[in-house]
Amino acid sequence: RQIHTALLLGGGMYTIPMHIHKYHPEVEMDVIEIDESTLQIAKDFFYYKDCDQIHIHFDDAMHYIQHAKKQYDFIFCDVYDGIYIPEAFLNLSTIQIIHTLLHKDGIYAINIPGPLQYTKQSELYSFVKKVKSIFSHVYLKAAISPNQKTKFINYVLYASDAPLTLNNLIEDQG
């Protein structure tokens, strides 16, 4: 599957757009970041360099997706309010909006914290169920190797209406 366009919700230190650009320089990206100061920090300390394919919009990510007019092949959500994802991004209505912003067979990915033990009682499980109610294929992968000394780790959830061929993913069967 070819990815030509990407929407990145949350610029952070712009490491994700830089990585995409390094390996796929043809991909046009819209990066939505609420905090303008992060761009200068990224330039000063994370070697971010402006390029024609990365379009930075200083806006609230929720506002942006609610008013977006274009579709994307890939949407990556990495928004945080402190150490938590804003509740609005975990709602069914937001997942539906994101689904409509994807081209057919597009991929949605979200960086999400969760418990070390993925169980049916976890909030993460509840979120996965919501995503599964909209997308045909939903996969969850630990973003880091689990460390037994921590109670929470980051996961990346991948969702698409087309099958995904990614290694070492957990397909939620619940």
Side-chain angles (χ1 to χ4, degrees):
R1 155 183 351 188
Q2 288 288 92
I3 294 178
H4 301 285
T5 58
L7 173 61
L8 306 174
L9 302 172
M13 292 301 120
Y14 302 89
T15 56
I16 299 294
M18 287 188 300
H19 182 83
I20 292 171
H21 182 68
K22 179 178 180 178
Y23 294 100
H24 304 283
E26 72 284 356
V27 174
E28 291 286 329
M29 290 173 266
D30 287 324
V31 180
I32 314 307
E33 174 55 54
I34 198 167
D35 185 354
E36 292 185 35
S37 69
T38 61
L39 182 58
Q40 192 59 51
I41 295 168
K43 288 177 178 181
D44 292 346
F45 299 102
F46 293 88
Y47 308 104
Y48 176 79
K49 297 207 182 330
D50 292 320
C51 70
D52 292 340
Q53 290 75 22
I54 300 175
H55 313 283
I56 299 170
H57 308 271
F58 295 109
D59 195 357
D60 179 83
M62 183 60 68
H63 177 265
Y64 186 88
I65 65 171
Q66 289 172 335
H67 297 91
K69 302 289 186 225
K70 63 193 266 190
Q71 288 187 306
Y72 299 89
D73 300 312
F74 177 68
I75 297 175
F76 182 70
C77 183
D78 194 23
V79 295
Y80 283 87
D81 182 9
I83 60 170
Y84 299 103
I85 295 175
E87 188 66 34
F89 284 91
L90 304 175
N91 292 336
L92 189 61
S93 60
T94 301
I95 302 164
Q96 290 169 325
I97 291 169
I98 288 170
H99 187 259
T100 64
L101 293 178
L102 285 169
H103 285 129
K104 182 179 184 267
D105 300 338
I107 300 169
Y108 170 51
I110 181 170
N111 182 22
I112 186 166
L116 182 62
Q117 300 298 322
Y118 176 67
T119 66
K120 289 185 177 184
Q121 291 75 35
S122 69
E123 290 180 28
L124 178 59
Y125 182 84
S126 174
F127 177 70
V128 171
K129 296 299 279 182
K130 290 176 193 174
V131 176
K132 281 187 65 103
S133 74
I134 296 171
F135 288 91
S136 302
H137 302 275
V138 177
Y139 302 89
L140 187 66
K141 179 172 178 39
I144 60 169
S145 297
N147 176 339
Q148 296 301 321
K149 294 181 182 178
T150 184
K151 293 181 181 177
F152 288 90
I153 62 172
N154 273 16
Y155 291 89
V156 178
L157 180 139
Y158 299 89
S160 181
D161 286 333
L164 298 170
T165 54
L166 302 168
N167 295 327
N168 303 317
L169 295 176
I170 304 165
E171 182 164 18
D172 181 59
Q173 301 295 326

